[in-house]
Amino acid sequence: MKNLKTDSCGMDAGGGHRFALVVAASVFLLAGCAAVSGGAETQGARFEFALIGDVPYDGRQEKHFPNVMKEINAADLAFVVHDGDIQWDGAGWTEKAGGLPPCSDATFEDRLRLARSSRHPFIFTPGDNDWTDCHRAKPQTFDPLERLAKVRQTFFQGDYSLGQRTIRLTRQSENPKYAKYRENARWTHGDALFVTLHLVGSNNNLGRTPEMDAEHAERNAANAAWLKQAFGEAKRSGARGIMIIAQANPGFENTWTPVQQQRYMLGGLRIKSPEKRRTTGFDDFLEALEEEVLAFGKPVVYVHGDTHLYRVDKPLVGSVSRRVIENFTRVETIGWPDTHWVRAIVDPNDPNVFSFRQQIVKENLVTH
């Protein structure tokens, strides 16, 4: 579906002999034009989109990834979202694994080409492999902050998504205070609002060097403002649900009670849970997330990659109630070494609004 503008629904009422026809037709046209914006479908409509992440890494995945995109391109989807790590972890790459070397300009250009080849609008948010961990890349190391600038320059030009068909994105950089954060984007489709946050693994770039800590602090503040603004927009627009997409697994279990940790994370291993909560680079985000989710009261989904374990669960625990917050769902996408995708469905008639199905690509199945 091409980007549409509400003024495309204007009618030429000139000519008195056509007046009755125009009046009759307007009954049908007004409903269809009322909610069309930036390529979004009419409110109340069901739609589907694709979620991918942590792919492609090595030479094998570079061969398998086109099979994923072939299926995605053939499907009737509104858009595709990649939740980060478009390349191998810098320390893990070897010549035997093959594929383009991590953090290189050649790798960035190749991944940009893949994104642009998508038949559907393609939205990307960076991961730690894409810049944070480039200081340990092989066969060549890079300065992470220089690579961060390169990521922004390569993937986030203009106000539209990547892909052969595009949608307009609202970027945080429209606010001069956050001019560098072009990667933080927001869009609305149907009854749902979508927002990307530049939240990355490797402890969100905290704790390695003073320069990295300063970057973390500044980006952390930008993310907090962007998250708050997204929820405010969702409330104002009457969105039925909101989806947040970032790369990092923020360690929800770090906020669980000892009993919850033992029951769900440690299971039958009978390992004692930590006696003291660890401080991490995600604490501010988890605190703000809980506040916004509770105040919103409607379905909220957080999509991430990072730990490569496909799951759909309820990991957010209230800091006061110490119980699971029911209107929050976490989805972790399928990542290396597996090369498949997740089909997401938005149905305003579903009380949960969002639902998910794993899509196993036959050509990429493992021979056991």
Side-chain angles (χ1 to χ4, degrees):
M1 175 176 171
K2 296 292 185 182
N3 290 339
L4 301 178
K5 299 179 181 178
T6 53
D7 59 9
S8 67
C9 294
M11 294 175 291
D12 177 12
H17 64 284
R18 288 180 293 171
F19 178 77
L21 179 61
V22 169
V23 170
S26 66
V27 174
F28 300 98
L29 287 171
L30 288 175
C33 296
V36 177
S37 176
E41 293 183 2
T42 308
Q43 289 181 345
R46 180 186 183 280
F47 65 92
E48 301 181 353
F49 57 98
L51 296 170
I52 56 177
D54 296 293
V55 62
Y57 273 25
D58 53 16
R60 177 186 57 80
Q61 275 205 321
E62 287 181 354
K63 294 177 181 177
H64 285 179
F65 187 63
N67 297 330
V68 172
M69 291 309 300
K70 181 180 178 181
E71 280 199 4
I72 288 175
N73 286 338
D76 183 14
L77 302 174
F79 48 83
V80 183
V81 185
H82 191 302
D83 61 24
D85 279 8
I86 54 173
Q87 56 194 303
W88 183 259
D89 174 88
W93 182 87
T94 64
E95 289 187 5
K96 184 177 180 180
L100 291 169
C103 302
S104 68
D105 286 359
T107 303
F108 284 3
E109 290 302 320
D110 178 76
R111 300 330 191 225
L112 177 63
R113 175 188 60 81
L114 292 174
R116 284 175 170 169
S117 69
S118 170
R119 185 171 75 87
H120 307 296
F122 191 105
I123 299 98
F124 165 66
T125 185
D128 54 353
N129 289 7
D130 305 320
W131 66 275
T132 310
D133 297 338
C134 290
H135 66 93
R136 59 183 187 179
K138 298 176 182 177
Q140 177 186 350
T141 61
F142 296 84
D143 171 27
L145 294 182
E146 184 276 330
R147 290 291 86 182
L148 173 56
K150 182 67 176 180
V151 167
R152 286 170 169 157
Q153 178 187 19
T154 301
F155 294 97
F156 304 105
Q157 294 296 317
D159 295 327
Y160 286 84
S161 68
L162 300 169
Q164 296 178 23
R165 177 169 59 89
T166 63
I167 57 174
R168 193 182 190 285
L169 305 173
T170 299
R171 297 194 184 276
Q172 189 176 21
S173 57
E174 293 179 11
N175 182 339
K177 183 178 179 180
Y178 303 107
K180 69 172 65 172
Y181 296 97
R182 299 191 54 78
E183 65 275 16
N184 281 350
R186 188 180 74 233
W187 69 102
T188 298
H189 197 99
D191 291 279
L193 184 141
F194 301 85
V195 58
T196 60
L197 282 182
H198 192 171
L199 199 72
V200 294
S202 298
N203 201 33
N204 205 16
N205 200 34
L206 177 65
R208 192 175 71 82
T209 69
E211 293 78 13
M212 297 298 99
D213 289 352
E215 186 284 328
H216 162 86
E218 185 180 9
R219 181 168 43 81
N220 210 35
N223 281 336
W226 192 235
L227 184 70
K228 186 177 184 66
Q229 187 176 342
F231 273 97
E233 177 61 27
K235 293 173 187 175
R236 284 190 296 272
S237 66
R240 301 278 186 92
I242 181 170
M243 176 177 283
I244 304 158
I245 305 106
Q247 188 261 338
N249 179 346
F252 291 102
E253 62 273 10
N254 197 37
T255 66
W256 294 354
T257 66
V259 170
Q260 288 167 327
Q261 288 185 346
Q262 290 171 359
R263 184 174 297 166
Y264 299 108
M265 185 176 69
L266 305 175
L269 298 178
R270 305 299 179 190
I271 300 174
K272 287 187 64 177
S273 58
E275 294 183 2
K276 185 177 180 181
R277 179 182 176 184
R278 295 174 292 110
T279 299
T280 77
F282 305 109
D283 292 345
D284 292 340
F285 167 71
L286 290 174
E287 182 179 343
L289 180 67
E290 177 188 353
E291 180 181 346
E292 295 292 351
V293 168
L294 291 174
F296 186 57
K298 300 177 185 178
V300 178
V301 174
Y302 177 73
V303 175
H304 70 83
D306 194 13
T307 38
H308 305 202
L309 179 65
Y310 174 64
R311 50 185 157 180
V312 180
D313 61 2
K314 299 271 185 192
L316 187 61
V317 172
S319 56
V320 176
S321 69
R322 311 310 292 153
R323 298 287 297 275
V324 165
I325 297 176
E326 289 90 344
N327 67 309
F328 179 85
T329 302
R330 176 257 298 278
V331 177
E332 182 164 7
T333 49
I334 302 168
W336 183 90
D338 304 310
T339 317
H340 307 293
W341 61 288
V342 177
R343 184 189 299 268
I345 301 103
V346 172
D347 186 350
N349 296 316
D350 180 349
N352 297 314
V353 181
F354 301 96
S355 60
F356 306 91
R357 294 206 314 262
Q358 59 177 335
Q359 299 291 142
I360 303 301
V361 180
K362 183 177 179 181
E363 291 84 351
N364 297 344
L365 284 172
V366 177
T367 302
H368 294 281

